[in-house]
Amino acid sequence: MATRSLDVVILGGGNAGMGVTVATREARLKVTMIEPDLLGGTCPNRGCMPKKVLVAAAHALDEIERAKAHHTSQSANRASTGRR
């Protein structure tokens, strides 16, 4: 098995791991990162960001449904403003 000489081994490719990688590479250190799952960690892959997309979609659908109670409707066709 081949061996490598490294200065830093980073465990995990989440926010902290990515930040450390930048700093160590700028210091011209030999770095490797070990990430058994998706880079970026929980937030962009399964946590914060996907949740925000789903919440925004649910909010939009709720607003459309509630518009009926105000005797208005929402559609993809919008009235012309007269501007071109």
Side-chain angles (χ1 to χ4, degrees):
M1 182 190 318
T3 60
R4 292 175 59 184
S5 175
L6 298 166
D7 296 310
V8 178
V9 175
I10 299 170
L11 301 176
N15 282 340
M18 299 298 264
V20 171
T21 301
V22 172
T24 53
R25 292 295 295 160
E26 286 175 352
R28 298 191 186 278
L29 297 173
K30 292 181 183 174
V31 182
T32 194
M33 177 185 287
I34 299 172
E35 173 55 67
D37 202 1
L38 300 171
L39 279 177
T42 299
C43 190
N45 293 299
R46 292 182 297 277
C48 309
M49 295 169 120
K51 179 192 78 175
K52 288 178 182 175
V53 169
L54 291 173
V55 168
H59 179 72
L61 290 172
D62 181 60
E63 289 292 321
I64 291 167
E65 185 63 30
R66 289 165 24 116
K68 293 174 188 173
H70 298 287
H71 305 290
T72 63
S73 65
Q74 304 295 319
S75 70
N77 299 326
R78 298 189 184 259
S80 173
T81 60
R83 290 189 241 166
R84 292 181 184 228

